[in-house]
Amino acid sequence: QSVLTQPPSVSAAPGQKVTISCSGSSSNIGNNYVSWYQQLPGTAPKLLFYENNKRPSGIPDRFSASKSGTSATLGITGLQTGDEADYYCGTWDNSLNEGVFGGGTKLTVL
Amino acid sequence: EVQLVQSGTEVKKPGESLKISCKGSGYIFSTYWIAWMRQMPGKGLEWMGIIYPGDSDTRYSPSFQGQVTISADKSINTAYLQWSSLKASDTAMYYCARRGYCSSASCHRNIGSLFWFDPWGQGTLVTVSS
């Protein structure tokens, strides 16, 4: 059971929009920055966002991220089949004194 | 290009020891923390610990403390993850990843203040089976 809760799966048609939630608590998301990662099938994770909503160079602006209270959200618009991947949120937990990740959300582009 | 290259696939027996590596290039290796993550088959990411190659300051997840050893050799730009006695439950993909850069002293030693990783190594698959 992950400390951060993500939906196991989401799906949408090409061109549509999808959001992925990441729910935590005051000991993690509530008081620390959130990062997001994309893991394409058979590959290593790749940074999508850091410090809640900062996008590294090379990440398309179809991707967005936000944080409010103890939850964070990743949004993807104009879905493409190449976006099919597992998406993870991550942050630090002050009570556990360790880094924590969500369980991951599998995105299917129908 | 900033890059982390990990050592290759390992197949071991329970009770054996193992040390896997992560070699950095394209940046000053000693000035960035390197973390290790575990991904068990079909499962999510788990943070194992982190090391600062500049002085080998190391922090472990309580879940992995005593189970693995993280080390680094800054002279050859390489970080390591090792086990003294493998178990079948250690079967997983292991990733190293570079922590974002801290420009202040307070951020540097406070791992939680800057918890994001880029880039990641390609992963090392470890299979432990009798």
Side-chain angles (χ1 to χ4, degrees), chain B residues 8-80:
Chain B
T9 297
E10 300 278 359
V11 179
K12 292 289 195 179
K13 290 181 165 46
E16 291 186 332
S17 63
L18 175 64
K19 191 173 188 178
I20 62 176
S21 66
C22 168
K23 184 174 177 64
S25 62
Y27 73 100
I28 302 174
F29 184 77
S30 61
T31 61
Y32 286 79
W33 292 77
I34 294 287
W36 286 95
M37 268 66 77
R38 181 176 79 175
Q39 188 169 38
M40 300 178 78
K43 302 297 184 182
L45 300 168
E46 299 174 271
W47 186 78
M48 302 176 72
I50 194 168
I51 188 166
Y52 185 68
D55 60 10
S56 292
D57 185 359
T58 308
R59 318 289 174 82
Y60 291 94
S61 158
S63 302
F64 290 93
Q65 178 87 47
Q67 308 304 307
V68 297
T69 300
I70 294 172
S71 60
D73 184 344
K74 63 183 179 181
S75 70
I76 55 171
N77 294 350
T78 302
Y80 302 97

Side-chain angles (χ1 to χ4, degrees), chain A residues 5-21:
Chain A
T5 301
Q6 297 181 234
S9 63
V10 296
S11 61
Q16 296 301 303
K17 172 184 176 178
V18 72
T19 60
I20 296 172
S21 59

Side-chain angles (χ1 to χ4, degrees), chain A residues 36-79:
Chain A
W36 288 92
Y37 304 86
Q38 176 193 58
Q39 187 175 31
L40 296 169
T43 70
K46 172 185 171 183
L47 179 69
L48 283 180
F49 288 93
Y50 63 100
E51 293 180 1
N52 299 336
N53 56 11
K54 295 180 180 177
R55 193 186 302 113
S57 60
I59 303 300
D61 59 9
R62 299 188 297 109
F63 292 84
S64 63
S66 63
K67 180 185 123 172
S68 178
T70 59
S71 293
T73 302
L74 174 70
I76 313 173
T77 60
L79 279 171

